[in-house]
Amino acid sequence: MPKRLLSLDVMRGLIMILLAAESTSLYSRLDKAAAGTWLQRVTEQFFHHDWHGLRFWDLIQPGFMTMAGSAMFLSFYFKQQNGITWQDNLPHILFRCLKLFLFGTALHCVYSGKLVWELWNVLTQLAFTTLIAYLIIRKSYLFQAIISFGLILLSEILYRTVLVGEFNEPFVMGKNFGSFTDMLVMGKINSGGWVFVNFIPTSAHTIWGVLAGKLLVDDRFQAGKKLRYLISSGMALLLVGYAADLGGLSPIIKRICSGSFVLVSGGWVLLFMAFLYWLTDIRQANRYAWIFTVVGMNAIFIYLFFETV
């Protein structure tokens, strides 16, 4: 078994390059240049949807968090081969989560130009999802899958049952459970509708990343079977997620990471992961993969660099 799966590094690298381009305002400039033309339908895909709906850019964070889960599992897997136990590795994970949390909160201070207490950054979210995923990393595929769907269900229940004062409309921006929690934790709500408790449902993305990594190093399955599992899982998530949205059960909303959004975005991420696995690890079409691999192996540094410098 190779030390790394090329497809995962390529996917992480591609995500980081896309994020770096955003930090340079490339998409804003392209969108401005395309204003009033049919090309604007393309450039708008590089911005988050205002509320109910899905665009390409809404898949970047789920992809980032899924890749983090896969990377964590592969790291843990190879450490186990060298005799390092779950308990031995726990301090490393806790320290990593602490660093992610501190980096995430510090970035908001950089954005604001002053000290602020804001927990909406992806790194802050990842600190919590990483810990949750690691706590169950040794469990079976089924157990981890059940926990992931349980967290999505928990979030849906909280949004529908915790209705306090003006925060009594589950799927209205600034009027939902997530905004209520932000007021309790930070004393403010995000003007764009983002909420701190997104880490609860999006833990599913990191857990699914762990499961994907576990599948791809599982010697019991041939490459073709692994590919079919990834594709069938992605298709199933898309089917359930879109059905929930179209049926009015759960609208697709990225900013509060509704259940249908987590399912649909997770489905697209798994399908893209399957495509890259087929392309680079099975077909070995990796002539230019090194470009993405170099970036993918230094994902957190690249993200911090472009978000600050």
Side-chain angles (χ1 to χ4, degrees):
M1 182 70 199
K3 283 291 183 181
R4 303 190 74 91
L5 283 161
L6 185 61
S7 56
L8 299 184
D9 283 327
V10 168
M11 187 165 177
R12 281 198 301 169
L14 177 59
I15 290 171
M16 298 318 302
I17 289 172
L18 289 168
L19 286 170
E22 181 198 30
S23 297
T24 65
S25 300
L26 174 62
Y27 308 137
S28 297
R29 295 175 184 275
L30 290 175
D31 189 61
K32 185 177 180 179
T37 72
W38 65 270
L39 281 173
Q40 195 164 28
R41 298 296 299 272
V42 177
T43 57
E44 73 177 8
Q45 291 299 315
F46 290 87
F47 299 88
H48 289 300
H49 198 286
D50 292 338
W51 193 245
H52 180 194
L54 187 73
R55 292 177 179 166
F56 167 75
W57 199 248
D58 296 321
L59 304 177
I60 297 300
Q61 180 175 345
F64 186 90
M65 300 180 87
T66 302
M67 290 299 95
S70 295
M72 178 174 67
F73 177 81
L74 292 179
S75 173
F76 177 63
Y77 174 82
F78 289 116
K79 284 181 179 180
Q80 280 189 311
Q81 308 307 303
N82 294 322
I84 299 175
T85 66
W86 183 91
Q87 290 83 358
D88 294 335
N89 195 49
L90 180 59
H92 167 74
I93 294 296
L94 291 174
F95 184 56
R96 180 175 179 79
C97 290
L98 176 62
K99 288 192 296 183
L100 288 170
F101 183 85
L102 293 177
F103 286 150
T105 52
L107 279 176
H108 276 287
C109 297
V110 173
Y111 301 154
S112 301
K114 60 181 179 180
L115 289 177
V116 294
W117 175 240
E118 297 176 355
L119 306 174
W120 298 303
N121 186 269
V122 60
L123 297 184
T124 307
Q125 304 281 313
L126 188 58
F128 290 93
T129 69
T130 295
L131 181 58
I132 292 171
Y134 186 74
L135 290 175
I136 60 173
I137 200 169
R138 297 173 297 174
K139 301 297 183 180
S140 67
Y141 287 102
L142 179 60
F143 183 90
Q144 292 183 70
I146 290 173
I147 293 297
S148 69
F149 290 115
L151 289 168
I152 296 172
L153 180 61
L154 172 62
S155 179
E156 289 286 312
I157 292 173
L158 290 172
Y159 270 85
R160 287 171 167 80
T161 59
V162 181
L163 308 173
V164 182
E166 63 180 297
F167 303 102
N168 58 2
E169 300 182 68
F171 302 115
V172 175
M173 185 183 296
K175 301 292 184 179
N176 50 61
F177 165 73
S179 295
F180 168 67
T181 304
D182 284 351
M183 284 298 298
L184 291 178
V185 176
M186 291 175 276
K188 66 180 80 171
I189 61 175
N190 187 282
S191 59
W194 305 102
V195 297
F196 164 58
V197 291
N198 278 350
F199 76 85
I200 297 176
T202 59
S203 290
H205 288 140
T206 307
I207 294 171
W208 295 339
V210 167
L211 290 176
K214 183 178 181 180
L215 171 68
L216 293 177
V217 298
D218 197 326
D219 293 331
R220 295 176 300 171
F221 306 118
Q222 297 297 318
K225 194 168 188 177
K226 295 175 183 180
L227 183 62
R228 290 194 293 273
Y229 277 138
L230 285 176
I231 293 174
S232 59
S233 297
M235 293 298 294
L237 291 176
L238 287 177
L239 178 64
V240 175
Y242 277 121
D245 178 64
L246 295 173
L249 181 63
S250 173
I252 294 176
I253 304 174
K254 163 73 172 82
R255 294 169 189 262
I256 60 171
C257 292
S258 62
S260 59
F261 167 76
V262 175
L263 293 171
V264 168
S265 59
W268 284 120
V269 169
L270 288 181
L271 288 181
F272 189 61
M273 183 188 294
F275 169 72
L276 288 180
Y277 177 63
W278 168 80
L279 184 67
T280 62
D281 290 314
I282 296 179
R283 288 288 304 276
Q284 298 290 308
N286 49 31
R287 182 177 179 182
Y288 300 104
W290 66 270
I291 299 172
F292 303 100
T293 300
V294 170
V295 177
M297 291 174 67
N298 299 278
I300 300 301
F301 169 76
I302 294 292
Y303 179 77
L304 291 172
F305 179 84
F306 277 95
E307 289 295 296
T308 54
V309 179

